Amino acid sequence: MSFDQNQNLSSVFELIADLLELLDENQFKISAYRNSARIFQGLTKSVEDLLFSGELKNITGIGKASIEKAKEYISTGKISYLEELTKLVPLGLLDLLKIKGLGPKKVKLLWKNLNITSLGELEYACKENRLILLKGFGEKTQTNVLNHIEFLKKGSGKFLINKIFFEQSKFEEFLKSLKNIYLFSPIGINRRFFEVYDSINYLISSNNHNNLVNNFKNYFNEINYSNGKISAKLNNIVFNIYLTDDKSFYSNLFIKTGNENFLDNIKKYLKIKNIKINNELFLQNEKVINFKNEYDIFQILDLPFIRPELRDYPNFDEMLKYDNLEKRIDYSDLKGALHIHTTYSDGYNSIEEMVKNALERGFEYIGICDHSQSAFYANGLNKERIFQQFSEIDTIQKKYPKIKILKGIESDISKDGSLDYPDDVLNKFDFVIASIHSNFNLNYEDMTKRLVNAAQNKYTTIIGHPTGRLLLSRDSYKFDWDRLIQACKENNTALELNSDEHRLDVPYEKITNIVKNKVKIAINSDAHNISSLDNLHYGIAMVNKAIIEKDDILNTLSYKDFIKSINKHH
């Protein structure tokens, strides 16, 4: 047996010691397993040979319990004691133990103090600046942890929307610098927009494909070209690039945008017009139809233009009953930025810095919305600090009269659905976002009642990130959407589309039904620094996958109309 077995056994014993430390076991027991791990790693013979010869029991520091577990591992490939220990801690803690710089002591602090049990939750906590506030961590540790998580994510093959947007933007700047490219566009889900991606896909028109491929060799880490398709890789992201010419570009674009269900419905209209699709070209009477743009394709089929994001809409015929399926919500449509954290809780920037940046972006109003007192892990505001913040906002408001500064709070929803301040504090805020940050494991009925109670609270303006999901990390908790929507409708409570790339919550699939029931959506950045006001682009991409009008969005309203719309208790 090779010495790899010794290393594997050493790692297993280290993991046992780590788990025992997480579970507050006896320190002598923990030390015994760590000592055995070090001995296994330094042996000059394989553990299997030493067991067979009986020499292992003569090595100082290897006890009877370690020998028995070594025998079990070599004969079965596992240790039942380790399996028992792993059942006693959240499974995601094993991933946290792999992070460079996080030993079991720090993982235990994250678990017990911040309720972090997965890589995604840890990444989100870093982004919200929470590790800095935790004893024994600090800014350097937080930065190192984030860097290591990013390294691990690269190997997973799954990427959030912010990473994909960034890489697509860089790629398009590169394409614009090339002389032999005429038309290009993202295709597939990169054009229709999704929350999570496994690749970047493009269609490019060029009159010299070989020259283009040579140019790409300077851009990508890896590249292959065959039959009109470039397969490439950059920063561990797969690129699929399809090459065509100008005449075929829009036919190809339409078909490669998809999705399959959308194209199946389109085929019914093609049949009526006696048009066929062959090799991603449209043929009528065996002649190729060349289109000058994508609008021409819809026009020839007597269909309204349907924006790419809506081509995932599940019911094609129902979709056609709506007007203006082309019009999108744009960043410029948003008049207010409502969910803004500052250095008062877990943000990176001061109130004034956030206000100044929002003003530069053209917002009419900004809602300062730090964490409430239950969020001790995020330096949540007690009553005294709330009024200290109010005083600072009043001072800053005088300095920046062109933007209205709203005094908000992100109030934690307690287990029973109440908010974590008394009414005499809640009534001092201009608006309240009520969010769940704990007790995610309630059953369906209890979670439904919790959210409904929060929505019914006369001080709740918006229910924040309603499902609690963290993409690629934590699933949504389960509740009755219909009852929540009804409660919001009856109580003039909006639902948030939290635009943080980890959340994108509410899910886009729910939005059409929400606004159909006359409940407004607030597209919020959940910004914890100046740059994360850009998150709004991700939320806008998602909201455009629903059938929605500008007036359905709470923060497209002017300041005056916004205040009028949320007037529940003032």
Side-chain angles (χ1 to χ4, degrees), residues 341-354:
H341 294 272
T342 73
T343 49
Y344 267 86
S345 64
D346 57 351
Y348 280 90
N349 294 103
S350 67
I351 296 172
E352 183 170 1
E353 286 169 334
M354 296 304 287

Side-chain angles (χ1 to χ4, degrees), residues 449-564:
K449 287 179 180 176
R450 183 184 188 184
L451 284 162
V452 166
N453 286 344
Q456 290 172 338
N457 190 302
K458 65 180 178 180
Y459 297 108
T460 300
T461 314
I462 301 165
I463 297 290
H465 44 75
T467 77
R469 73 178 183 184
L470 291 178
L471 296 165
L472 297 179
S473 174
R474 185 173 73 208
D475 289 338
S476 309
Y477 34 73
K478 303 296 184 277
F479 60 92
D480 189 327
W481 268 102
D482 291 337
R483 283 164 62 186
L484 175 59
I485 291 169
Q486 186 61 27
C488 289
K489 180 179 180 180
E490 292 172 358
N491 294 275
N492 190 30
T493 302
L495 287 166
E496 177 181 72
L497 199 167
N498 187 299
S499 300
D500 186 282
E501 66 270 16
H502 297 86
R503 291 191 182 274
L504 296 177
D505 181 11
V506 294
Y508 74 84
E509 297 94 334
K510 301 293 182 184
I511 295 172
T512 300
N513 189 42
I514 289 168
V515 299
K516 196 188 294 184
N517 281 279
K518 307 300 180 187
V519 173
K520 287 196 184 294
I521 297 285
I523 304 178
N524 293 340
S525 65
D526 199 354
H528 283 70
N529 56 53
I530 284 169
S531 64
S532 55
L533 276 167
D534 288 336
N535 291 355
L536 291 167
H537 289 291
Y538 314 141
I540 288 165
M542 293 298 108
V543 84
N544 280 320
K545 292 179 72 61
I547 294 174
I548 195 163
E549 298 288 339
K550 190 168 78 167
D551 290 346
D552 296 322
I553 308 298
L554 183 63
N555 47 324
T556 61
L557 299 174
S558 67
Y559 172 73
K560 184 179 177 181
D561 288 340
F562 172 77
I563 294 298
K564 186 178 177 181

Side-chain angles (χ1 to χ4, degrees), residues 327-336 550 555-557:
K327 187 167 174 57
R328 294 178 173 86
I329 306 296
D330 293 320
Y331 194 99
S332 59
D333 290 323
L334 301 182
K335 306 302 179 189
K550 190 168 78 167
N555 47 324
T556 61
L557 299 174

